[in-house]
Amino acid sequence: MNSDIATSTTAALKMRHDCLAARHQALAAQLEPIELQWWHEAQERLGQSPDANTAALLSGQCKRRIHEQAMRDDEHCSQLQLARALLLAQVLGQQPQDGQLPLLRQLFLWGDDQEKVALLKALDWIDSSGLCVPLALQAGRTSNSEVFAALALDTPYPSRHYPERAFHQLVLKTLGMGLDVRRLVGLAQRHGVSLNQLALDLLDEQLAAARTISPGLHLAIAFDLLSPAQCQRLLGLHQQERLPSAWHEHLTDRRET
C-alpha cells in the first residue's frame, strides 16, 4: 500500500447524513422499477454483509444493473456514480470507528477508474472533517483527467480541507489538464498573493513556449492584489494583444492614465 494513504487513525468519519439522505431520495425517484428493485436488494445484501468484498461485488454489479444516466438535479453526476457512492457510504457507516478509513482506502485501491470517480465525488458527503485529505492528495496525482475532475470539480471538498499549497497545486493541475476551472468550487475564496504569482509564472511559461494560454487562467488571479510590477507586465501583454479576450475586462481599468 502506498505510504501516502496508509496513515492509520482511529478517528471516525463524520458523514453529512442530510446530504446522503437527499441523494438517496433523488436516486430512488429517478430509477426505473427494475433498477429500483435491484437497488433495494443491493442495500439489503450490504446491510447483511457490510464488508469490503460485498461492497466491491455490488459496485461491480451496479454497472450492469443501473443505467449511466445523468441525475436530473445534477448533470455532473450519473445514476451509476451516485449508486456506487451511496453503497460506499452505507458500508462505511456500518463499520466500527477504527475500521472506516482502512476500508475506504482498501476500496479505493481495489477500484477501477470509474469506481474511483464515484468515491471521489462522494468525499464531501462521507468526510466532513477532512480525514481523507491524504487519500485525496494521492488520488490527485492521477494522469486520468476524469478521475482528477471528480476530485477537483463541482465539489467543495478541496476548498474546505486542503492546505494552501495543495489547493494551489490542484488549481494549476486543473488548468494544465484543460479542465473548466470555473467548476472548481471555492477558487475565489482561495485567491491571494501566492496564487497570483503561481498563475503568472504559468502564464510566462506558456508565452515563452508559444503555447496556448490555459482557458480560465485569469480566474486564478486576484487582480486587486497584483503588485505594480505585475500590473505593468500584464498591461504590456494586453497592449501587445498577447492575452485572450477574457483578460481584457480585468485590465482595461488598470491602464496608465
Side-chain angles (χ1 to χ4, degrees), residues 126-253:
I126 64 178
D127 177 29
S128 66
S129 58
L131 290 177
C132 295
V133 166
L135 177 63
L137 293 175
Q138 173 63 18
R141 298 191 180 115
T142 181
S143 60
N144 183 307
S145 61
E146 187 175 3
V147 173
F148 183 79
L151 172 69
L153 306 183
D154 307 309
T155 171
Y157 190 84
S159 181
R160 281 175 170 160
H161 302 297
Y162 274 25
E164 181 179 272
R165 182 171 179 271
F167 190 83
H168 290 173
Q169 290 175 336
L170 188 83
V171 174
L172 295 178
K173 187 163 182 175
T174 299
L175 292 165
M177 282 190 157
L179 300 173
D180 187 355
V181 75
R182 293 173 299 177
R183 292 167 54 195
L184 207 164
V185 177
L187 176 58
Q189 289 71 40
R190 290 294 197 113
H191 276 164
V193 173
S194 297
L195 184 55
N196 277 2
Q197 187 59 59
L198 291 170
L200 294 175
D201 288 345
L202 177 59
L203 173 65
D204 286 341
E205 290 174 13
Q206 293 176 340
L207 290 170
R211 298 201 307 269
T212 300
I213 295 173
S214 296
L217 178 55
H218 63 288
L219 298 175
I221 297 174
F223 286 85
D224 59 336
L225 297 179
L226 291 171
S227 70
Q230 290 170 334
C231 281
Q232 290 306 310
R233 165 71 170 149
L234 290 179
L235 285 169
L237 292 170
H238 173 52
Q239 292 164 359
Q240 297 167 31
E241 299 184 347
R242 299 184 67 190
L243 296 178
S245 60
W247 292 68
H248 296 180
E249 65 180 279
H250 300 283
L251 297 170
T252 51
D253 61 350

